[in-house]
Amino acid sequence: MPRNQKVLAGEPGRPGAAEGEEQAGTGQHAELPNRGNGRAPMAETAPRYFHSPIRILCILGIAVFVLHYATMRVLRRFSFDGNTAALIDSAVLVLVLMPVFHWFMFRPLLHHIHAVRKTNIDLHASMTRSEKIVATAFDAIIVIDERGMIQDFNPAAERIFGVTAPEIIGQSVNRLMTEPIRSVHDGYIAAYLDRGTPRIIGKGREVEGLRSNGETFPMELAVTEMRVHGGRIFVGTIRDITRRKRDEAALRRANEELERQVLARTEELAKANDELQKLATTDALTRIMNRRQFDAELQRELERARRYGVPFALILFDVDHFKRVNDRFGHLSGDRVLADMAQLICAETRVNDIFARWGGEEFVLLVQDVDAGGALQIAEKLRALVAAHAFPHGHSVTSSFGVTAYAEGDDSVSIMQRVDQALYRAKEQGRNRTELA
């Protein structure tokens, strides 16, 4: 008999061999499906009085007795001798009882033989179908007994593990496992049979398998339990997931690389945005804040002063006779003068002060937390520093300064007009001086 038929359909020649078998998928047992209602076809079509052999024998016995008694009474009336009477009695019994025996004995017997034959044919077809399903299954199917010995090993299992069924059947399933599961697997089976505590029965899990050449591979394993002829077998369904794991690893690496590229690109974009922000807020020549950004900073400082009463002052200054520098030394030298002046003033300002190029040769400085007197001292210090500094080509330049402090009710227009007027007065009064408005 094929090995798959033995496991899935019972033994041949036994009608209804699958009856009484139970199956477990989640640790609970269930009866395997039977064909029809489990009775022979004779039981479905034969009359009810065929069901009891004792009743049949009683009827036949009574019929024989009554027929024999009636025949003998008739023969005695006609005064037949003993041998002739016995011969006639036997002939009558045979002729009369043949239909009775046919109806009550031979006909049920033939019916039963036909039913048994049909049941065997159906059973054989079911076993063949089950065997083909197991043999052509894509997943490996391995059946083990209560001792962990392999009882069945389908072609998919042969392909996955690299060993043939005749070589592996009858050996321990531990041969297909890696450590540490191999060492404890028998204990798992014993604990389950003893206490009924399942570890993987009815559950799917990912484990490592071992091929015949010693190669390990990832696989999905699902185990179910079946009861057959009073014993237990365990059916393991196995799928080789090597390709899936390889694809998952490749996808994971691709995602990591993509994340790395996105992160690098994000950093590049952040740097580009910072550079754009810097270009948008910085004067290209002097590398200090431009007028546009200064206007925004001035507006914030005005709001802070209105809300909290924090004083601040503005210092507006420019280079005296800057046109002469451009005409005498050229515009490149004039640009050098402006850049050097910006760096010179930056070195003398505080961290929280706001210094910007206002336009042309004009610069503006917002000094926080000072009043008009303090701002005037700062401006005078810066004027002297510019006058003493040696600019390109060894020539010196001077600057005129206008100073004003924030007053209640000021806005950006009023305070800038006031400091501009102070600078204009410094120009009118001879340049290289500081005026307070």
Side-chain angles (χ1 to χ4, degrees):
M1 172 196 311
R3 45 190 170 82
N4 294 323
Q5 296 177 5
K6 182 178 181 180
V7 172
L8 298 177
E11 297 179 357
R14 291 178 54 219
E19 292 183 0
E21 298 180 358
E22 298 179 351
Q23 180 180 14
T26 57
Q28 298 179 350
H29 304 298
E31 293 185 359
L32 289 176
N34 294 322
R35 295 185 57 85
N37 58 8
R39 301 177 183 176
M42 179 188 70
E44 298 177 359
T45 59
R48 292 185 58 186
Y49 53 79
F50 287 159
H51 294 181
S52 174
I54 296 178
R55 181 180 300 176
I56 295 173
L57 292 176
C58 290
I59 293 173
L60 291 176
I62 294 172
V64 170
F65 175 79
V66 171
L67 184 60
H68 174 70
Y69 178 78
T71 303
M72 293 304 296
R73 290 290 300 269
V74 171
L75 292 176
R76 286 195 188 100
R77 176 169 294 186
F78 288 99
S79 302
F80 287 99
D81 58 40
N83 292 333
T84 303
L87 182 61
I88 294 174
D89 180 52
S90 299
V92 171
L93 287 176
V94 171
L95 292 174
V96 174
L97 291 180
M98 279 184 63
V100 176
F101 274 97
H102 172 75
W103 184 261
F104 287 100
M105 295 292 291
F106 295 110
R107 187 172 181 273
L109 180 60
L110 292 175
H111 193 87
H112 177 72
I113 293 173
H114 175 74
V116 169
R117 179 180 300 175
K118 185 176 184 303
T119 300
N120 286 336
I121 292 173
D122 292 343
L123 180 61
H124 179 74
S126 176
M127 291 188 298
T128 302
R129 183 168 56 253
S130 299
E131 182 182 25
K132 289 182 178 179
I133 291 174
V134 173
T136 58
F138 176 78
D139 294 334
I141 298 176
I142 301 176
V143 180
I144 65 173
D145 60 16
E146 296 176 346
R147 300 172 301 151
M149 298 301 174
I150 297 174
Q151 303 298 312
D152 193 18
F153 204 75
N154 76 336
E158 295 178 340
R159 183 182 68 253
I160 291 175
F161 288 95
V163 60
T164 63
E167 294 174 334
I168 197 71
I169 288 178
Q171 298 192 30
S172 173
V173 73
N174 296 347
R175 173 178 170 180
L176 307 177
M177 301 177 182
T178 59
E179 294 293 350
I181 298 179
R182 174 187 292 182
S183 301
V184 297
H185 182 256
D186 291 340
Y188 290 160
I189 296 179
Y192 176 69
L193 296 175
D194 182 40
R195 297 187 294 271
T197 304
R199 288 182 59 86
I200 63 171
I201 302 296
K203 304 175 184 177
R205 63 183 299 185
E206 293 184 2
V207 296
E208 271 197 344
L210 182 65
R211 304 190 203 275
S212 60
N213 60 2
E215 177 188 356
T216 61
F217 67 98
M219 65 182 190
E220 279 185 348
L221 171 63
V223 180
T224 56
E225 178 190 2
M226 298 176 61
R227 291 185 179 272
V228 180
H229 306 311
R232 298 183 185 182
I233 61 173
F234 301 95
V235 182
T237 305
I238 297 169
R239 175 168 293 183
D240 187 347
I241 56 174
T242 302
R243 177 175 296 180
R244 192 184 79 187
K245 287 295 185 181
R246 184 168 58 245
D247 293 342
E248 288 176 354
L251 180 60
R252 185 166 54 252
R253 289 192 298 270
N255 287 336
E256 291 173 353
E257 177 64 19
L258 181 60
E259 290 177 0
R260 186 190 65 78
Q261 293 179 3
V262 169
L263 181 61
R265 185 58 178 167
T266 302
E267 292 177 352
E268 292 176 2
L269 291 175
K271 291 179 180 178
N273 288 335
D274 291 342
E275 187 65 23
L276 289 174
Q277 182 67 19
K278 185 176 181 181
L279 292 174
T281 61
T282 303
D283 179 67
L285 175 63
T286 60
R287 300 297 179 184
I288 62 175
M289 189 179 297
N290 60 20
R291 179 170 178 172
R292 179 179 181 181
Q293 183 64 21
F294 179 81
D295 287 340
E297 296 291 340
L298 175 60
Q299 190 62 40
R300 280 193 286 269
E301 194 63 27
L302 285 168
E303 293 175 359
R304 193 167 76 97
R306 295 188 193 108
R307 177 175 297 184
Y308 303 109
V310 179
F312 73 92
L314 290 182
I315 301 173
L316 182 65
F317 62 97
D318 69 356
V319 179
D320 294 333
H321 303 295
F322 184 68
K323 185 176 182 303
R324 295 178 185 178
V325 176
N326 283 335
D327 293 343
R328 182 177 178 182
F329 300 105
H331 289 280
L332 291 178
S333 295
D335 291 344
R336 287 284 305 277
V337 169
L338 295 177
D340 283 1
M341 179 173 287
Q343 297 305 313
L344 179 66
I345 301 300
C346 279
E348 297 298 323
T349 57
R350 300 173 301 176
V351 174
N352 58 340
D353 293 338
I354 301 172
F355 182 45
R357 185 180 180 186
W358 185 249
E361 69 273 17
E362 291 182 331
F363 297 87
V364 61
L365 177 64
L366 188 154
V367 287
Q368 299 177 347
D369 300 317
V370 296
D371 54 12
L376 187 62
Q377 293 178 2
I378 293 173
E380 187 60 29
K381 175 184 175 182
L382 295 177
R383 184 198 62 77
L385 183 66
V386 171
H389 184 71
F391 287 90
H393 302 288
H395 62 276
S396 60
V397 297
T398 60
S399 296
S400 299
F401 286 74
V403 179
T404 190
Y406 169 76
E408 186 175 354
D410 267 340
D411 57 18
S412 59
V413 175
S414 62
I415 195 171
M416 288 305 304
Q417 286 178 345
R418 197 163 59 248
V419 74
D420 186 60
Q421 291 172 0
L423 176 59
Y424 184 74
R425 285 198 304 272
K427 294 285 189 179
E428 283 186 334
Q429 295 181 18
R431 294 183 171 83
N432 192 25
R433 59 184 291 119
T434 303
E435 291 292 330
L436 176 65

